[in-house]
Amino acid sequence: LHPGKSLYRVLLDSVTLSDESVKFQIIHEKNKILLQVEIYEIEGNIFRLKIDEASPLRPRYKVPDVLIKEPTTQRLFISHREAGILVLSSVNEDYKLQITANPFQVELQSKGETVMSMNSNGLLYFEHLQSPPSDRYTQNEEAASDSSKEKQEDLGLWQEKFGSFLDIKAHGPTSVGVDFSLHGYDHVYGIPQRTETLLLKNTSDGDAYRLYNLDIFGHKIHDKIGIYGSVPLLLAHKPSRTSGIFWLNSSETLVDISTKAVHTPSRSAAEIAKQRAVPLTDVRWMSESGIIDVFLLMGPTAFDIFKQFAQLTGTQALPPLFSLGYHQCRWNYEDEQDVKAVDAGFDAHDIPYDVIWLDIEHTDGKRYFTWDKQKFQNPRKMQEHLKKKKRKLVVIVDPHIKVDPSYTLYAQAKEKGYFVKDRNGKDFEGICWPGSSCYLDFTNPEVRKWYADQFAFKTYKASTNILFVWNDMNEPSVFKEAELTMQKDAVHYNNWEHREVHNLYGFYQQMATAEGLIRRSSGKERPFVLARSFFAGSQKYGAVWTGDNTAEWSYLQISIPMLLTINMTGISFCGADVGGFIGDPEPELLVRWYQAGAYQPFFRGHSNMESKRREPWLFGEKNTQLIRRAIRERYVLLPYLYTLFYRAHAAAEPVMRALWIEFPGEVETFDVENEYMLGKQVSYSLEFEIPVFQRGGTVIPLKTTAGKSTEWMIDISYELHVALDKEACAIGELYVDDGHSFQYLHKKQFLYRKFTFHKNVLSSSLVKLEILQIDTNTKSLERAKPIRETKKINWEIRK
């Protein structure tokens, strides 16, 4: 489809208003199919547009569970009506929606200025549900060899072949799409995940950006293909405003972007003289199925966008403090002796660390929730040893389940019907690490509850309260299938095809896992779950990372824009494998990667089975010293980092920020991706030898020294670093709680102080957090009230 006049027209006599929304129908001039349009204004400068068939043959898929609640709406009213035009105004008179009837178009204006318009290029399309071709030959797979041209064309809509793979669309083609024009914008960001620059590029001469979660080993740099996760949120920024588009659809989605200069018609000679081209960015969204359900986030600042998105999908879960320490991982630490030796190595070399990780080889034949009886003969004792050292263990738990009737987990899930089915109603079987595997259907709430119960201490044998979880391969990854993932015609709970829910699969596994860890502690302890696949809202359940990167300089460089993009779409707790997962980094690259990782939200060293061992002390004394210093700097910085995570949790402020977010009026920052800010106060640059700077006018809380792990540091004093601005003033904050429980929420047990340096006096006061704190686990909203807590604080002022 190319831009042109839309074939849809509004039926103006169908307009109805209610307290919740404005509804009307549009008709396709050729096929006469009616679509129902619903427009909502949501509190806090958000508009929602939904388009569905007026009377579909069967309900179309609508994404559940991503929005934390049904959003609170405000009444829209008709403020102006003339031939073929309807103007809707909101209680907040700044905004107006102008609806043009023929062709159908919606324009969103703020204080008389057009910010965004929908369908202005006439690219709205909506493949309506139809009965299968009359003679039912689509159900006969041999029909693919039928040579009659007409049948082939008809069939092409109902089934597709990819090499030897056949995808049969049970309900036929159901794609949807529409275009948006962003007026005055030529900088757009977001729509992770891909190995790509911070600024999204024009796609007019190449592939569209793709949102489709896939297991792509050693993903290529500067590729528009989607990798492990998808957040269908796009941000547009210009010096005067930031806007956002959140496209709520979990099927395969393509995004086309075209930026051009538009000359505005001028009214006078004087205006013509100073007329300049105004940028315009067209963004076209296309999804394989579902309905059109889109949220227009009006900002007007980037921080308003972050709050608006969090209001819809939730904020970042507050991580347990240990998970902000350093994590040591490898595929694989061989056995209990290896784990003990690596743990002892950190102490011997005076390098802090908090968590050691076990990949798939720790299990009994890749049966998750089990232990290899030879290599891990006494896992409980191993965990007791780590616990005495005040450290934690993370184990891998993937979504594929080995087909083995003697494996309790498989037998139970099989009997209860908890696996995803193939199109013929049998359990879908695919190949993954254990060999032949079935895949749990996490879209089913009953399966999620049962799965969460598997983490109970009595059920998960030899697990203890220092064991936490890593969900990998949850795109889902299926070896030997098209694109290494599940067939689109596999069938989930409530008979939905996999194509409808694909991008939600990992989101649901992480949700169930986090719930399981909370439940095993009777709701007292915060979970830690790292997941490879994610969607909008995954921030409520834990952390994500950038997957199977490579030990090359270019992957260190691209990790920064990748993480900045994930942060600006709601997920602050993210990181990249330090050193690169694939291959062997040269020592200087490894050192540099530690220095970068120490200033990123999730900090984990990880390597592939084929890689040489790379514990931090294996590269000679000089490099050991440099890595030790980087990791110790991370531990000293934890009070500041933990405070940032509290602000992410309570106020939806990203931990790691692109420079333009902090300097929205400075155009030269809009494409910077080799520098970034940690909060408002610390900037990191990949270009300098000493890459960390403190912003003038800030106070940063630190620990006076690092300990062996976060738990060893509880009684270490704090110090404040004060960097004065031109007026010799500075402000900063410190948030402290017990670091592991939900007491901060349920019992309001935390300390939150603001530090002010003014007229040569440093003072400390209580922070009154006026914002609502979202408890994303119980979905309740509670106001935060701090309690008094005393800690020794060293007041150190550095001018």
Side-chain angles (χ1 to χ4, degrees), residues 194-198 219-222 546 549 553-564 673 686:
R194 62 202 80 257
T195 317
E196 190 46 293
T197 54
L198 183 66
H219 34 83
K220 280 203 237 24
I221 290 184
H222 300 312
T546 62
N549 58 358
W553 288 93
S554 54
Y555 282 84
L556 166 57
Q557 198 173 5
I558 202 77
S559 69
I560 291 175
M562 288 177 80
L563 297 175
L564 290 173
E673 55 177 45
L686 205 56

Side-chain angles (χ1 to χ4, degrees), residues 208-422:
Y209 286 102
R210 186 184 191 207
L211 293 163
Y212 191 63
N213 297 351
L214 290 176
D215 177 358
I216 299 187
F217 182 79
H219 34 83
K220 280 203 237 24
I221 290 184
H222 300 312
D223 202 334
K224 295 192 176 73
I225 192 163
I227 49 176
Y228 313 94
S230 297
V231 183
L233 170 65
L234 178 135
L235 291 85
H237 178 69
K238 56 186 175 183
S240 60
R241 187 179 205 113
T242 312
S243 301
I245 300 173
F246 171 35
W247 177 265
L248 183 53
N249 190 301
S250 52
S251 68
E252 179 181 352
T253 296
L254 298 175
V255 185
D256 250 330
I257 295 169
S258 157
T259 300
K260 51 184 178 284
V262 178
H263 290 277
T264 47
S266 297
R267 285 172 291 283
S268 68
E271 279 186 4
I272 289 167
K274 62 178 186 194
Q275 181 181 340
R276 60 184 184 87
V278 177
L280 176 80
T281 297
D282 291 323
V283 178
R284 181 188 182 192
W285 299 78
M286 300 160 271
S287 289
E288 185 179 359
S289 55
I291 65 165
I292 291 173
D293 188 0
V294 64
F295 296 83
L296 307 178
L297 313 180
M298 298 311 291
T301 70
F303 288 99
D304 293 325
I305 298 278
F306 304 142
K307 284 192 176 67
Q308 288 155 1
F309 189 60
Q311 188 185 323
L312 299 170
T313 66
T315 60
Q316 176 65 58
L318 183 62
L321 181 60
F322 81 80
S323 65
L324 298 184
Y326 174 63
H327 300 254
Q328 182 66 37
C329 187
R330 175 172 178 80
W331 178 19
N332 210 95
Y333 286 121
E334 294 299 321
D335 51 28
E336 287 169 10
Q337 289 64 42
D338 198 4
V339 168
K340 276 188 181 168
V342 171
D343 174 73
F346 277 89
D347 291 339
H349 295 90
D350 199 20
I351 300 172
Y353 97 104
D354 264 77
V355 195
I356 192 159
W357 291 50
L358 294 176
D359 209 318
I360 53 179
E361 312 301 328
H362 83 278
T363 59
D364 175 12
K366 320 291 190 295
R367 295 166 182 86
Y368 304 106
F369 300 97
T370 69
W371 304 87
D372 182 302
K373 293 176 188 62
Q374 264 62 54
K375 297 175 183 172
F376 294 89
Q377 295 179 7
N378 197 338
R380 184 178 292 279
K381 193 174 165 198
M382 175 182 73
Q383 288 168 81
E384 279 161 8
H385 173 78
L386 289 170
K387 189 172 186 171
K388 279 197 194 100
K389 307 281 289 288
K390 301 187 181 181
R391 297 199 169 113
K392 311 283 187 270
L393 177 71
V394 165
V395 296
I396 199 165
V397 183
D398 289 352
H400 51 260
I401 305 295
K402 184 178 173 71
V403 173
D404 172 9
S406 66
Y407 173 27
T408 317
L409 202 72
Y410 172 80
Q412 276 187 26
K414 173 98 179 149
E415 184 200 349
K416 293 172 185 289
Y418 284 171
F419 292 122
V420 178
K421 303 284 184 270
D422 64 20

Side-chain angles (χ1 to χ4, degrees), residues 584-603:
D584 298 302
E586 57 187 90
E588 192 191 346
L589 172 59
L590 185 65
V591 167
R592 285 310 191 115
W593 215 316
Y594 270 102
Q595 291 169 340
Y599 289 86
Q600 290 166 2
F602 176 59
F603 185 26

Side-chain angles (χ1 to χ4, degrees), residues 400-471:
H400 51 260
I401 305 295
K402 184 178 173 71
V403 173
D404 172 9
S406 66
Y407 173 27
T408 317
L409 202 72
Y410 172 80
Q412 276 187 26
K414 173 98 179 149
E415 184 200 349
K416 293 172 185 289
Y418 284 171
F419 292 122
V420 178
K421 303 284 184 270
D422 64 20
R423 60 175 171 253
N424 302 315
K426 297 189 178 70
D427 287 343
F428 172 87
E429 268 190 41
I431 306 292
C432 210
W433 298 127
S436 197
S437 305
C438 287
Y439 289 74
L440 288 165
D441 185 3
F442 294 108
T443 67
N444 181 344
E446 193 185 316
V447 175
R448 294 199 298 273
K449 184 186 179 308
W450 170 83
Y451 192 72
D453 290 341
Q454 304 309 310
F455 292 94
F457 296 123
K458 64 177 193 304
T459 311
Y460 188 169
K461 297 288 181 273
S463 68
T464 74
N465 65 356
I466 67 151
L467 177 145
F468 296 87
V469 182
W470 172 20
N471 294 151

Side-chain angles (χ1 to χ4, degrees), residues 68 314-317 539-541 649 774-780:
I68 53 172
T315 60
Q316 176 65 58
Q539 64 269 14
K540 298 189 288 291
Y541 309 116
H649 177 55
I774 302 168
D775 170 10
T776 50
N777 299 298
T778 58
K779 293 191 182 173
S780 69

